[in-house]
Amino acid sequence: MITYKVSKVKNPGKNAVEGTQYFAAKAVKTSDYTFDELAEDINNSTTVTQADAYAVLKSIKKYIRNALLAGRRVVLTDLGALRINLRGKCYSQDTMAASDFSPASMIKGIAVNFRPEAALLKDLRANYQLKRIVEE
């Protein structure tokens, strides 16, 4: 069950009518699904012990980290792919030449992007249910 709330939107976009209030649904997290819970669920549905599942998951985390830091896209078959995105400032060709680009001042950090596999996304879209949380 996906919970959501309806919230006022501060910047509804370029087609907004001045003076009109806009609202949109926003997903609300109900809880966290932890590493320990995942390892326990793997233990309960396979012949792998919880300790073994936990060890494998910890190793996966380490190898995903290393691959992302090496500039690689991490493809998790049937799940999706992870890749690094850079966060930074934009500049116009009029204000600076590409050869003058300074990573230290123009790149502010990184983000990790997850893109789900098409089959997973299709399954999620076909099977979700919604529950509205009313704020008081």
Side-chain angles (χ1 to χ4, degrees):
M1 181 79 59
I2 297 172
T3 57
Y4 72 96
K5 65 181 179 180
V6 177
S7 301
K8 191 187 302 187
V9 178
K10 292 181 181 176
N11 186 8
K14 64 181 179 181
N15 296 325
V17 176
E18 180 115 9
T20 303
Q21 289 186 351
Y22 291 89
F23 297 86
K26 301 202 187 250
V28 176
K29 174 184 83 165
T30 54
S31 66
D32 292 328
Y33 184 57
T34 67
F35 233 51
D36 289 336
E37 289 173 303
L38 181 57
E40 184 176 341
D41 286 347
I42 291 169
N43 168 241
N44 291 335
S45 63
T46 67
T47 59
V48 177
T49 68
Q50 184 173 350
D52 289 342
Y54 190 82
V56 169
L57 291 170
K58 289 291 277 187
S59 291
I60 289 171
K61 178 183 167 187
K62 173 183 156 188
Y63 290 113
I64 288 173
R65 174 198 176 276
N66 293 346
L68 290 172
L69 289 174
R72 299 180 73 186
R73 184 174 76 127
V74 178
V75 179
L76 304 169
T77 305
D78 296 332
L79 186 61
L82 299 157
R83 68 184 176 99
I84 293 286
N85 284 335
L86 297 178
R87 291 185 174 163
K89 295 181 180 179
C90 292
Y91 67 93
S92 72
Q93 192 175 10
D94 298 336
T95 60
M96 183 171 70
S99 59
D100 295 331
F101 184 86
S102 169
S105 64
M106 300 299 282
I107 297 174
K108 299 299 177 192
I110 63 168
V112 177
N113 176 266
F114 173 73
R115 181 170 185 152
E117 280 288 329
L120 173 62
L121 197 51
K122 183 178 178 181
D123 179 50
L124 291 171
R125 287 178 175 158
N127 293 296
Y128 73 92
Q129 295 178 345
L130 297 170
K131 178 183 176 186
R132 182 174 177 177
I133 295 174
V134 179
E135 294 185 290
E136 302 191 19

